[in-house]
Amino acid sequence: MKAKLFAALGAGALILAASQSAMAGVAIGLNIGVPAPVYVAPAPVYAPPPPPPVVAYQPGYQPVYQPVAVVAPAIVIGWHGDRYWDGRHWWGRRDWYAHHRYY
């Protein structure tokens, strides 16, 4: 009984192995295509270096120094992280909600 079972299993394994090799085929492909366009970089253009700057000394000339304008940053009314700016002072989140319960 066991011999018939082993023979059937062996025959099945041989059939599977034979079917896999029978599916291997030979393929011949022929590709006809147009070659891709080739990009050629333009030739470099060489220009002469710019002339050095000319600094002319003028006797009696005093440079005028302009004061730098200092601009304060604009502070926007509203929440900034965990603090609220109402235009007058900073509020903590708990203080704001405790003081402004009607909102």
Side-chain angles (χ1 to χ4, degrees):
M1 185 63 130
K2 286 186 181 182
K4 288 183 182 181
L5 179 63
F6 286 127
L9 288 175
L14 286 175
I15 290 172
L16 271 173
S19 68
Q20 291 297 324
S21 63
M23 296 201 48
V26 176
I28 298 175
L30 178 64
N31 293 326
I32 301 174
V34 179
V38 178
Y39 173 75
V40 178
V45 177
Y46 297 103
V54 177
V55 179
Y57 175 73
Q58 297 175 356
Y61 172 74
Q62 295 292 327
V64 178
Y65 295 103
Q66 297 288 334
V68 178
V70 178
V71 178
I75 298 179
V76 181
I77 294 177
W79 287 104
H80 298 271
D82 61 343
R83 299 181 304 162
Y84 186 82
W85 174 253
D86 65 352
R88 287 178 286 182
H89 63 277
W90 290 96
W91 294 83
R93 189 172 291 271
R94 288 185 181 179
D95 298 335
W96 172 261
Y97 285 125
H99 190 267
H100 298 87
R101 292 181 187 256
Y102 53 87
Y103 281 136

